[in-house]
């Protein structure tokens, strides 16, 4: 881990060489993503609720997913931009170094400007705490922490899966954006509003429900079973599957040259 933090320090030092540019990027990220919040606000101001979920409850869902994705992009950007590493021959150098391949890939990119999205998500979450009808307890606070850990792990797993497929395609598959950026957009609302078919897909194929729908029901008091709050730990099994695909891809890697 010391090597990973060394990578981060290099990125931070290089980024801080252009402080004004960094500040503008952070502010831009913070402001541009408010369009999603505005859409949610106007829709629920008109209709009052969506399948029984109020504005505060939807914003709770929004803020957690936003933090999940922003943290995953900060940490896992090396996987999401892995196709350029393969095409430019940089992966050959990574393989020659006596350090963990995954650690080097993660350390190759670090999107510090995503902190703007994190600030926005935190601001929305603070607003939700002050205005929603959620009865907060130590267990529910812990559930939010687990949702953040599980959600970040889920999106990093998807980035890893996308990188693993790059071993065979060289270029990143745009279809994977449906499962990452698309999931971030759809995850702003509780998944059950999209119907039974989507619920099944998001439970048995890509387990978004484990880090969003089920623990959210516990937070909102719709379900009192405490174990709904630890469902995000199930993402470990999905991560293991994605890691298996990654290992399979590495065994079949052929250099693209430089």
């Amino acid at each position: 881990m010391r090597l990973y933090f060394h990578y981060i320090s290099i990125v931070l030092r290089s980024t801080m060489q252009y402080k004004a540019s960094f500040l503008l990027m952070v502010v831009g990220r913070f402001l541009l993503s408010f369009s999603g919040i505005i859409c949610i606000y106007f829709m629920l101001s008109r209709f009052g609720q969506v399948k029984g979920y109020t504005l505060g409850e939807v914003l709770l869902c929004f803020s957690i997913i936003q933090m999940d994705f922003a943290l995953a992009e900060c940490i896992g950007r090396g996987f999401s931009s892995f196709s350029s590493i393969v095409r430019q021959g940089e992966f050959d150098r990574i393989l020659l170094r006596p350090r963990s391949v995954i650690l080097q890939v993660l350390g190759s990119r670090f999107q510090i400007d995503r902190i703007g999205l994190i600030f926005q998500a935190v601001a929305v979450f603070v607003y939700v705490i002050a205005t929603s009808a959620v009865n907060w307890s130590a267990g529910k606070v812990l559930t939010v922490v687990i949702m953040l850990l599980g959600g970040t792990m889920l999106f990093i797993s998807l980035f890893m899966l996308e990188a693993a497929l790059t071993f065979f395609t060289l270029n990143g598959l745009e279809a994977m954006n449906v499962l990452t950026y698309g999931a971030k957009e759809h995850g702003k609302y509780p998944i059950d509003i999209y119907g039974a078919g989507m619920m099944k897909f998001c439970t048995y194929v890509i387990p978004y429900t484990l880090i969003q729908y089920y623990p959210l029901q516990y937070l909102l008091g719709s379900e009192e079973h405490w174990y709904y709050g630890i469902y995000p730990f199930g993402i470990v099994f999905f991560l293991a599957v994605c890691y298996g695909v990654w290992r399979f891809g590495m065994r079949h890697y052929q250099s693209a040259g430089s």
Side-chain angles (χ1 to χ4, degrees), residues 34-71:
F34 264 106
S35 59
I37 300 175
I38 293 171
C39 290
I40 292 172
Y41 174 78
F42 280 118
M43 185 185 74
L44 292 179
S45 295
R46 173 67 177 84
F47 297 104
Q49 59 181 16
V50 52
K51 201 172 182 179
Y53 296 101
T54 64
L55 175 63
E57 293 169 345
V58 172
L59 288 180
L60 174 61
C61 182
F62 170 90
S63 62
I64 293 175
I65 286 292
Q66 187 85 312
M67 279 190 272
D68 289 341
F69 193 80
L71 288 169

Side-chain angles (χ1 to χ4, degrees), residues 189-211:
Y189 298 91
I191 292 174
D192 61 327
I193 73 168
Y194 301 113
M198 183 61 73
M199 277 289 292
K200 290 179 181 178
F201 177 84
C202 293
T203 300
Y204 302 111
V205 182
I206 309 294
Y208 299 115
T209 56
L210 297 186
I211 56 97

Side-chain angles (χ1 to χ4, degrees), residues 21 39 49 107 115 122 126 128 146 149 157 187 194 196 205 214 231 240:
S21 175
C39 290
Q49 59 181 16
I115 196 173
V122 170
V126 170
V128 168
I146 296 173
L149 292 174
S157 299
Y194 301 113
V205 182
Y214 291 112
Y231 271 27

Side-chain angles (χ1 to χ4, degrees), residues 59-122:
L59 288 180
L60 174 61
C61 182
F62 170 90
S63 62
I64 293 175
I65 286 292
Q66 187 85 312
M67 279 190 272
D68 289 341
F69 193 80
L71 288 169
E73 274 206 307
C74 279
I75 300 170
R77 185 62 179 173
F79 281 131
S80 62
S81 59
F82 186 69
S83 59
S84 63
I85 294 177
V86 172
R87 288 197 310 271
Q88 295 169 12
E90 294 180 27
F91 192 64
D92 295 345
R93 289 188 294 177
I94 289 175
L95 290 174
L96 292 173
R97 295 169 183 157
R99 288 292 186 271
S100 166
V101 171
I102 288 180
L103 187 64
Q104 292 183 71
V105 172
L106 288 176
S108 65
R109 305 283 190 278
F110 191 77
Q111 295 294 105
I112 189 62
D113 61 297
R114 295 306 191 271
I115 196 173
L117 296 178
I118 297 174
F119 286 155
Q120 185 214 64
V122 170

Side-chain angles (χ1 to χ4, degrees), residues 221-243:
S222 301
E223 291 287 346
E224 296 186 2
H225 300 299
W226 64 269
Y227 52 80
Y228 272 54
I230 62 172
Y231 271 27
F233 284 129
I235 297 301
V236 172
F237 298 101
F238 183 71
L239 175 61
V241 172
C242 293
Y243 179 71

